[in-house]
Amino acid sequence: LHIGPGNFHKCHQSFYTDLANEKSSSPDNWGIFGVGFRSRNNDLTDQDNLYTLVQASKSDTSARIVQSFVGFGLLKEDAEKIIEVGAKESTRILSMTVTEKGYSQNAEGGLDLENDDVKHDIERQDEPRTAMGLVAAVLRKRMETGAGKITVMSCDNLQHNGDTIRDLTFEIAGEISADLKTWIKQNVTFPNSMVDRIAPGSTEDDIAKLAEDFGIKDEKMVKTEDFHQWVLEDNFAAGRPAWESAGAIFTSNVSAYEQMKLRLLNGGHSSLCYFGYLTGHRHVDLAMSDPAIARFVKAYLAEALPTVPSVDIDLDNYTNQLLDRFENPAVRDKLTRIALDGSKKLREFLIPTVTDLQRETKGYDACVLVLASWARFARGMDEEGEEIEYEDGRKEEVEREAKKIGEGNGWNVGGLL
């Protein structure tokens, strides 16, 4: 059962599952029942639960018909059916891709018990409105029916995502009943994972090109890059697909890979994002075609690389792959997507990188320039006097402070980050 079978899920976990099924010698394949919240846009039942995954590198494009889905339910209309699917003994994993906002957290990271939908889900457990309410409803049903152990797995781009969903599950279960919380502790596991694949979304042109190049008409196709990475703890209570056969990495130290991604991928994106936008570019690949920006991205990566913990992959090769990914014109990733919630992102990876470099008495000039480019971008106006439209959870505060730069009043970076 997967909550949130959108673009990223189709490019990532669903793809890994399909490839693992293909490589398996077992006659029994793993299948995914998708759960949507707002619409049936991701319902594939009208096309036999199939969809096309287009994977594009700088020089080549391929199309794969993915067969991992087995059904779909819309939570606001099909809650009873969805809970029944989740409570089947044959359902071994409940996973989710709902973005950070989908976890119903308060400012401290705990469950937002003041949220009206969370209150509703605690009181009316058979009619959940939130992802955490649905998790609790499925686990309660499994406890009542004796369906057995299950794994709850976050596939969102959150640090320590397994620990996060575990703590939230314990919290909402505790609000429902002490017995449920105890049962969950004894029967449910919550592996941490790190996910990586750029999935910018498909356009009408992509749909037309799929038909032209491959003879496939699919209005629900998805497009992604040729790179993919998934790092997981092997902590599954009731079995799992052989995702390692599709390239997944199983480790007891997911955190090290998270740091690698944050400081190199996310940091590299930020090093080109703000300078790129301010110099007139709107997409990652076009910004990377600017020699000055490309040189700066390489300088940032070289500066940040020594702060990355030891992982079981070649980091020099990884950084070269990042440069190839950034240069990939087929992905056409928007700089405004990279800039989303910049104040939070920079706090998560840039400041710890600078702290580590200071501790080792190494230079951090590139990191400072990334911060400066964000500060200039955050003023909300480009070099031509045009308004910059961007999203940040602290936009009003950030923009107010950033505008002080031009007034000679300094800038309270520490207070913001």
Side-chain angles (χ1 to χ4, degrees), residues 145-160:
T145 61
K149 296 178 181 294
I150 190 172
T151 294
V152 174
M153 179 174 66
S154 168
C155 296
D156 277 299
N157 189 26
L158 305 172
Q159 291 189 71
H160 316 298

Side-chain angles (χ1 to χ4, degrees), residues 45 142 145 188 205 285:
T45 53
R142 293 183 74 89
T145 61
V188 185
D205 288 343
D285 62 301

Side-chain angles (χ1 to χ4, degrees), residues 13-29:
Q13 184 188 352
S14 173
F15 160 75
Y16 273 92
T17 302
D18 186 58
L19 191 55
N21 283 340
E22 180 180 273
K23 293 178 177 291
S24 173
S25 59
S26 171
D28 298 321
N29 284 337

Side-chain angles (χ1 to χ4, degrees), residues 22-242:
E22 180 180 273
K23 293 178 177 291
S24 173
S25 59
S26 171
D28 298 321
N29 284 337
W30 289 78
I32 299 169
F33 186 95
V35 178
F37 278 95
R38 289 177 291 276
S39 74
R40 294 190 178 274
N41 289 345
N42 294 305
D43 186 350
L44 301 171
T45 53
D46 61 344
Q47 48 191 58
D48 299 323
N49 291 310
L50 306 174
Y51 68 95
T52 310
L53 176 64
V54 173
Q55 302 175 95
S57 68
K58 289 195 293 185
S59 59
D60 189 34
T61 301
S62 66
R64 177 186 183 90
I65 306 299
V66 179
Q67 307 175 61
S68 51
F69 279 94
V70 296
F72 178 89
L74 186 63
L75 186 59
K76 63 184 179 181
E77 298 176 2
D78 308 314
E80 183 178 359
K81 175 185 176 182
I82 291 166
I83 294 171
E84 286 178 358
V85 171
K88 288 182 177 179
E89 188 175 351
S90 58
T91 299
R92 308 297 178 85
I93 298 170
L94 194 172
S95 55
M96 55 198 292
T97 309
V98 294
T99 76
E100 187 172 1
K101 295 178 181 178
Y103 287 78
S104 304
Q105 293 173 279
N106 57 28
E108 291 72 40
L111 188 68
D112 186 1
L113 296 174
E114 299 303 313
N115 180 283
D116 288 340
D117 287 336
V118 173
K119 291 179 180 179
H120 169 276
D121 289 354
I122 292 170
E123 294 297 323
R124 305 183 67 176
Q125 298 148 32
D126 292 330
E127 302 172 8
R129 295 175 179 173
T130 69
M132 294 313 305
L134 178 56
V135 170
V138 167
L139 297 182
R140 182 177 65 87
K141 189 75 168 180
R142 293 183 74 89
M143 177 184 71
E144 293 172 349
T145 61
K149 296 178 181 294
I150 190 172
T151 294
V152 174
M153 179 174 66
S154 168
C155 296
D156 277 299
N157 189 26
L158 305 172
Q159 291 189 71
H160 316 298
N161 55 14
D163 296 342
T164 297
I165 196 171
R166 177 199 63 205
D167 293 346
L168 293 170
T169 300
F170 287 167
E171 193 168 355
I172 194 169
E175 294 292 325
I176 294 170
S177 80
D179 287 345
L180 177 59
K181 185 174 181 179
T182 298
W183 184 89
I184 291 171
K185 288 183 175 181
Q186 296 172 347
N187 292 277
V188 185
T189 57
F190 303 87
N192 286 299
S193 68
M194 185 276 279
V195 298
D196 185 11
R197 196 169 209 187
I198 298 172
S202 55
T203 65
E204 291 298 325
D205 288 343
D206 293 327
I207 294 170
K209 191 165 179 57
L210 175 66
E212 178 183 341
D213 293 349
F214 297 97
I216 301 172
K217 183 178 180 181
D218 185 358
E219 299 288 331
K220 296 183 178 179
M221 63 155 287
V222 291
K223 182 179 179 180
T224 187
E225 60 180 334
D226 57 331
F227 178 91
H228 54 87
Q229 190 172 63
W230 196 9
V231 182
L232 311 91
E233 290 176 335
D234 201 356
N235 182 24
F236 289 78
R240 60 167 177 80

Side-chain angles (χ1 to χ4, degrees), residues 300-332:
Y300 167 80
L301 292 173
E303 189 172 278
L305 188 59
T307 73
V308 175
S310 177
V311 292
D312 195 23
I313 62 174
D314 185 331
L315 287 176
D316 288 330
N317 182 58
Y318 179 77
T319 55
N320 287 331
Q321 285 179 316
L322 286 180
L323 295 172
D324 281 341
R325 295 170 69 187
F326 295 167
E327 294 169 357
N328 187 350
V331 175
R332 198 44 61 92

